Amino acid sequence: MEQSDQERLRQEVDEVLHGQKQPRGPEFFKQNDYSNVRHVIGVVSGKGGVGKSLVCGTLAVELARRGAKVGILDADVTGPSIPKMLGLSGARARGVDELIVPVLTKGGIEVMSANLVLEHETDPVIWRGPVVAGAIKQFWEDCAWGELDYLLVDMPPGTGDVPLTVFQSLPVDGIVIVSSPQDLVQMVVGKAVNMANMMQVPVLGLVENMAYVECPGCGEKIYPFGPSRLKETAEAFGIEALGQLPIDPKIAAACDAGTFEDELPAGTLSEAVDTVVSVAEFVDALRDRPQDA
């Protein structure tokens, strides 16, 4: 079969499956005149249930406590949890001059999420991949983010449409990967690392959630999922170990109550936050360097 015939066949198959010809390359999303986002940091995981949104919220709160202007783009469109944990249950984003205005938390963090545009937060989002990707584009291009030092993107688990869209279409400075101490962790972390490498997105490091439980009586650490695999996994993929989070019933209750900003202990995941800040400073230095340097 000639090359032109093969290409024509691929196009016909695309049209049958998707109803239209597929774009040949990634589309880079543009910022609008009412947004100036300096740094985009993704928070990802190779599988669900490891507390990725908790880590994303922690980074956002700690960066804001350091005086940074922070936003969260909740790209986990079909399973958003960021609004509830940050006290925005029942809140709605508003539209002004054909743009969406993100909702502001008590601590000054801007949030855009599917739950902020649904009539009821329990309404299911039954969208196919291209529609979900389109929502991410709208959350970036059609939101008036204003001046932000950091926009954290809370991505759905896995390596599907949304991470691909974010990696290809947003100016991501780097990603933080979230894992838990289980036997299959190296495999799922490996998927996230390999996808980032394929997309030429820097991996800032690895955070291990649910690493231990602290005994309320004696303070001894108990490891319900077995010993930590943080250092072992980080070394296996040549990335930085950025810290651990325990299983903490008080933090879980704060997420449910929407008081996470108030009750998160100061200095949580400080090493991960330091790394994000260092990468941002490095990127700023490159941007400010004279063109002929």
Side-chain angles (χ1 to χ4, degrees), residues 62-127:
E62 286 296 290
L63 286 167
R65 286 173 176 175
R66 296 188 184 193
K69 296 179 180 178
V70 183
I72 299 178
L73 192 162
D74 189 357
D76 195 353
V77 174
T78 60
S81 53
I82 289 292
K84 183 175 179 63
M85 67 184 289
L86 292 179
L88 300 180
S89 283
R92 294 293 174 267
R94 58 191 177 92
V96 176
D97 295 333
E98 299 184 350
L99 290 176
I100 305 169
V101 179
V103 180
L104 205 62
T105 70
K106 178 182 176 181
I109 298 170
E110 296 185 35
V111 176
M112 190 61 229
S113 170
N115 265 16
L116 299 177
V117 295
L118 297 175
E119 184 175 356
H120 306 289
E121 65 176 17
T122 55
D123 290 344
V125 178
I126 309 175
W127 296 345

Side-chain angles (χ1 to χ4, degrees), residues 133-174:
I136 304 305
K137 179 179 181 181
Q138 188 171 21
F139 289 171
W140 175 263
E141 291 192 342
D142 297 337
C143 282
W145 288 105
E147 295 285 337
L148 286 184
D149 297 308
Y150 302 95
L151 180 67
L152 301 179
V153 182
D154 184 21
M155 287 196 264
T159 54
D161 283 345
V162 170
L164 181 61
T165 296
V166 171
F167 288 169
Q168 289 184 326
S169 303
L170 299 186
V172 180
D173 288 336

Side-chain angles (χ1 to χ4, degrees), residues 1 158 272:
M1 184 182 295

Side-chain angles (χ1 to χ4, degrees), residues 210-233:
M210 300 182 285
Y212 59 89
V213 179
E214 191 170 289
C215 174
C218 66
E220 181 183 354
K221 290 183 178 180
I222 303 167
Y223 299 90
F225 297 114
S228 171
R229 296 176 180 269
L230 176 61
K231 291 184 178 179
E232 171 190 337
T233 304

